[in-house]
């Protein structure tokens, strides 16, 4: 309320007067997010807000695509603005004018279609989608609601850390599988030999020590790969 009058700022509707409708079209052509100012219910002005892409967004999208990940842009902005940003980043699939519930429903549809879905977000309106995804990733500079709903919080502000997180997770899983394969293979070979008396107990003890050293060495190799100055903090729940 301003001097006894109700002032509202919100999304443009279909009832804009001609000058504001023309300004809306011009703002959309310039890839701006438009909001309308209403005074006592009447549209009086239109504000065009310029969206600036995060630093490193281009590299992040390119690196994720190289990792076999399909990027999707889901936003509450109008379609023209969303398409302009997606074209600049090279993202082909765009979902615009989404409410927080719409974003969560989109995640559900993708999961139902058989996709494994990771959501990257930093706002309150991303919290539902972050919680419903297979993996929710919140930016460290985001809201408390987004951080609380996510599985992983990136302490580094740059979105490029997402690709590092994916590579680290895949390498960790590969190390776990290699260690399990070595452990099961060792026991599958040595236990029958020991049971039938073909394996000397001293040799078996030495082989077990060597097996443990190989597992430790494999884990240390993973540790040395972890990117320096790129911390990843655990979020709401571990997986």
């Amino acid at each position: 309320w301003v001097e006894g009058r109700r002032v509202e700022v919100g999304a443009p509707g279909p009832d804009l007067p001609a000058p504001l409708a023309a300004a809306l079209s011009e703002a959309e052509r310039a890839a701006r997010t438009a909001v309308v100012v209403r005074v006592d219910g009447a549209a009086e002005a239109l504000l065009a807000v310029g969206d600036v892409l995060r630093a490193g967004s281009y590299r992040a999208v390119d690196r994720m695509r190289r990792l076999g990940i399909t990027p999707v842009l889901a936003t509450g902005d109008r379609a023209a603005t969303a398409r302009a940003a997606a074209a600049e980043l090279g993202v082909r699939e765009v979902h615009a004018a989404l409410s927080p519930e719409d974003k969560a429903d989109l995640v559900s549809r993708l999961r139902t279609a058989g996709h494994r879905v990771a959501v990257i977000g930093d706002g309150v309106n991303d919290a539902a989608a972050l919680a419903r995804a297979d993996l929710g990733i919140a930016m460290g500079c985001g809201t408390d609601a987004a951080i609380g709903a996510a599985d992983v919080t990136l302490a580094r502000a740059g979105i490029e850390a997402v690709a590092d997180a994916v590579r680290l997770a895949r390498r960790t899983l590969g190390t776990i599988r290699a260690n399990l394969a070595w452990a099961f293979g060792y026991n599958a070979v040595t236990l029958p030999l020991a049971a039938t008396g073909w394996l000397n107990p001293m040799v078996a003890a030495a082989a077990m020590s060597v097996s443990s050293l190989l597992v430790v060495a494999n884990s240390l190799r993973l540790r040395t790969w972890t990117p320096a100055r790129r911390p990843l903090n655990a979020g709401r729940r571990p997986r």
Side-chain angles (χ1 to χ4, degrees), residues 7-238:
V7 179
E8 301 168 285
V9 179
D15 57 342
L16 293 179
L20 296 187
L24 174 61
S25 299
E26 183 178 349
E28 290 181 339
R29 285 195 299 270
R32 299 289 186 263
T33 298
V35 293
V36 66
V37 180
R38 292 182 174 86
V39 180
D40 293 333
E44 297 288 351
L46 187 131
L47 308 178
V49 183
D51 290 321
V52 178
L53 295 176
R54 289 182 181 273
S57 297
Y58 309 95
R59 292 190 301 272
V61 171
D62 180 67
R63 291 175 64 187
M64 284 188 282
R65 187 179 287 110
R66 291 175 184 270
L67 290 170
I69 300 171
T70 302
V72 176
L73 176 60
T75 176
D77 288 339
R78 297 173 67 89
T81 304
R83 285 196 296 267
E88 194 171 351
L89 290 172
V91 177
R92 295 184 178 88
E93 185 173 349
V94 181
H95 301 268
L98 299 183
S99 67
E101 293 78 13
D102 293 334
K103 292 182 181 181
D105 290 341
L106 173 62
V107 172
S108 297
R109 291 198 302 272
L110 291 173
R111 294 185 64 186
T112 302
H115 300 289
R116 285 181 294 179
V117 182
V119 173
I120 308 168
D122 61 358
V124 174
N125 55 348
D126 299 321
L130 287 166
R132 194 168 296 184
D134 293 298
L135 177 65
I137 304 174
M139 306 301 296
C141 58
T143 62
D144 291 340
I147 293 173
D151 302 294
V152 174
T153 299
L154 302 179
R156 188 158 53 99
I159 198 173
E160 307 100 303
V162 173
D164 291 330
V166 173
R167 293 180 61 197
L168 179 58
R170 290 180 177 178
R171 193 176 179 98
T172 300
L173 185 58
T175 300
I176 292 172
R177 287 172 173 167
N179 288 343
L180 288 174
W182 171 255
F184 281 115
Y186 169 83
N187 286 285
V189 172
T190 56
L191 283 177
L193 294 177
T196 56
W198 286 91
L199 187 62
N200 185 286
M202 297 300 294
V203 175
M208 178 60 75
S209 299
V210 172
S211 173
S212 299
L213 287 174
L214 287 174
V215 170
V216 171
N218 200 26
S219 300
L220 287 176
R221 185 167 60 89
L222 170 66
R223 181 181 179 84
T224 57
W225 178 87
T226 303
R229 300 184 302 278
R230 295 181 180 182
L232 301 173
N233 289 347
R236 173 171 52 87
R237 57 187 187 273

